[in-house]
Amino acid sequence: MTGSDTMTSGLDIAVRSPGAAALRAARARLGVAPLRALWDWACGPVATRADARAWYRGWRLLAWDGTTLDVPDTEDNARLFGLAGGKAGPSGYRKLQLLGLVECGTRAFLGAVFSSTANGETTLATRLLDKLTPGVLLLGDRNFYTWPLWHAAATTGADLLWRATSNANLPSDQTCPDGSYLSRFPNRKHYRHQPDPRPVRVITAMITITTADGNTRHEHYQLITTILDHHAAPAADLIDLYLRRWDIERAFYSWKVLQKGPGRVLRSRTHTGIEQEVYAYLTTYQLLRRFAQDSADTADVDINRVSFTLALTTITDSIISHRGATPDHRHTHATHRATRRLNPQHHRSRQCPRARKRPTSPFPSKRPGTPPSQKVTYTTTVLTPHPTP
């Protein structure tokens, strides 16, 4: 049975199976616009007020970050996508840079943009600013710590919680009772033309990670936020909230590894086909998250307890089976199946030593004697600075 036969086997009508050349020609005639329009329709928040991990008090929690995809090294793809450089020379495949904006908790996309690796994450982020509105709290790592992007994002009315770089110059103007302090985020490049830098609140913390075997390590974090009132968002709460930024990494893992397949290179040999393929993957992922939300609401459980792999398998099987069943019957059967085996309610914190995938990686190789992942506990200490004279 061919791929097209599989996709239409659940229909009650006979469908003539097209050949590979006919499908390529049809995709070329279709273009990118319909796939992009379908993605624009599908993306958006899915959390309800009952989804606790998606909210903090009155804010909807969002996170953004970037990732890359491998595309075939063809002459047409070379017009848009470049090669990544490194110590061992250029990469074997062309690289696509993608930036996603994800709702914490549900891990649903509110938007995604992509281009060649010549455009970095901060450049792509400006194309997602229209997705930010008052009432959201945007989490970002230190790669986004630039004054132009901070200013542009804060101008949308959204509140921000980003990690600052290690060399950030944020003098203490006033210390708050929760250990945070008020400061100014100046635009160094145009400081003379901007005598009033943007006010920010800074939280400096030391996070101690203790493994099951007793080893400890410390990490220094400096977070900045537009929320100046420490009563509205205490420092300890903001540190815990920042950890939810990892939800976007889980989203990338779900659609890049579990859905697309680990290490799989996008197959299209033209840049138009690559764009179609990316929009198709993203739209499928988003619809799976909406289905997971429907299933969780039906079973009255948290969406994180609905397995992404089981949801993917359930939807795939429902497409190729249930001949003659009504759409409502298919949906009811699928939601019940997706919640038949739920994930644990609480995930234990764990860590695993980093291992190299290529000989040029600076991390040690994972060999048979490499220690397995371990349970860890986190201890957070807010560091109170002295006022800057």
Side-chain angles (χ1 to χ4, degrees):
M1 181 178 288
T2 65
S4 59
D5 291 335
T6 302
M7 295 296 291
T8 59
S9 61
L11 301 178
D12 293 325
I13 58 175
V15 179
R16 185 176 179 180
S17 178
L23 289 174
R24 285 196 299 269
R27 284 183 60 185
R29 293 193 303 270
L30 182 66
V32 180
L35 276 297
R36 185 187 298 115
L38 185 61
W39 162 245
D40 291 338
W41 167 82
C43 66
V46 302
T48 64
R49 295 297 303 188
D51 298 311
R53 282 187 55 84
W55 301 89
Y56 172 68
R57 298 187 178 181
W59 288 281
R60 184 189 296 271
L61 300 179
L62 307 180
W64 62 8
D65 205 355
T67 187
T68 59
L69 297 172
D70 291 335
V71 303
D73 187 10
T74 63
E75 182 178 353
D76 192 86
N77 285 338
R79 299 175 185 174
L80 184 60
F81 307 110
L83 297 172
K87 295 181 180 179
S91 58
Y93 292 106
R94 299 276 165 178
K95 295 290 184 179
L96 177 149
Q97 178 76 48
L98 182 141
L99 185 81
L101 179 65
V102 165
E103 182 180 53
C104 297
T106 65
R107 306 196 301 277
F109 277 96
L110 275 75
V113 292
F114 53 91
S115 180
S116 68
T117 51
N119 296 317
E121 294 179 359
T122 54
T123 301
L124 292 176
T126 59
R127 295 165 52 186
L128 287 176
L129 293 177
D130 62 329
K131 303 292 184 180
L132 303 180
T133 59
V136 306
L137 178 59
L138 176 63
L139 313 179
D141 64 18
R142 53 189 166 185
N143 186 57
F144 297 98
Y145 181 78
T146 65
W147 189 92
L149 186 57
W150 177 272
H151 174 76
T155 303
T156 65
D159 282 301
L160 312 178
L161 177 63
W162 296 359
R163 185 180 180 183
T165 55
S166 58
N167 61 347
N169 182 20
L170 297 167
S172 174
D173 292 340
Q174 178 184 342
T175 303
C176 301
D178 63 346
S180 61
Y181 65 91
L182 301 181
S183 183
R184 296 150 291 163
F185 189 177
N187 182 355
R188 295 182 180 180
K189 186 176 181 181
H190 304 288
Y191 183 78
R192 293 182 179 179
H193 304 288
Q194 187 197 356
D196 298 321
R198 275 192 170 272
V200 295
R201 185 160 142 250
V202 183
I203 301 99
T204 304
M206 183 67 69
I207 298 180
T208 303
I209 301 97
T210 306
T211 60
D213 57 9
N215 292 324
T216 61
R217 61 186 176 92
H218 306 279
E219 291 191 13
H220 182 269
Y221 274 70
Q222 191 172 37
L223 307 179
I224 61 172
T225 179
T226 56
I227 306 174
L228 304 182
D229 184 3
H230 65 275
H231 295 290
D237 288 0
L238 293 180
I239 295 171
D240 292 339
L241 287 179
Y242 182 76
L243 299 180
R244 299 190 195 179
R245 190 193 67 81
W246 285 96
D247 278 356
I248 192 169
E249 304 293 349
R250 297 174 63 191
F252 286 154
Y253 177 81
S254 295
W255 79 269
K256 287 181 60 177
V257 178
L258 301 180
Q259 177 187 335
K260 182 174 70 67
R264 182 174 297 176
V265 181
L266 298 178
R267 61 183 182 181
S268 300
R269 302 182 67 82
T270 65
H271 67 271
T272 301
I274 290 294
E275 292 183 61
Q276 289 179 326
E277 203 170 343
V278 172
Y279 281 126
Y281 274 123
L282 288 172
T283 302
T284 302
Y285 171 85
Q286 182 72 4
L287 295 179
L288 285 170
R289 297 315 299 164
R290 291 188 178 276
F291 168 71
Q293 182 67 47
D294 290 343
S295 301
D297 290 343
T298 302
D300 195 21
V301 297
D302 185 83
I303 185 175
N304 288 284
R305 300 197 64 190
V306 179
S307 166
F308 181 84
T309 304
L310 183 56
L312 177 61
T313 304
T314 300
I315 292 299
T316 302
D317 291 345
S318 69
I319 293 175
I320 62 177
S321 61
H322 298 291
R323 182 187 297 272
T326 63
D328 289 341
H329 178 266
R330 289 190 184 190
H331 184 268
T332 301
H333 181 272
T335 54
H336 288 166
R337 178 182 171 184
T339 54
R340 193 173 300 167
R341 297 194 307 272
L342 297 174
N343 291 330
Q345 186 171 0
H346 300 289
H347 293 274
R348 292 172 293 184
S349 299
R350 303 180 69 88
Q351 76 162 8
C352 184
R354 299 188 72 173
R356 65 181 178 183
K357 297 181 180 179
R358 299 178 178 85
T360 56
S361 173
F363 300 106
S365 176
K366 180 174 283 188
R367 301 176 183 272
T370 301
S373 62
Q374 300 183 55
K375 303 176 186 176
V376 297
T377 56
Y378 296 93
T379 304
T380 302
T381 304
V382 178
L383 306 179
T384 304
H386 298 289
T388 303

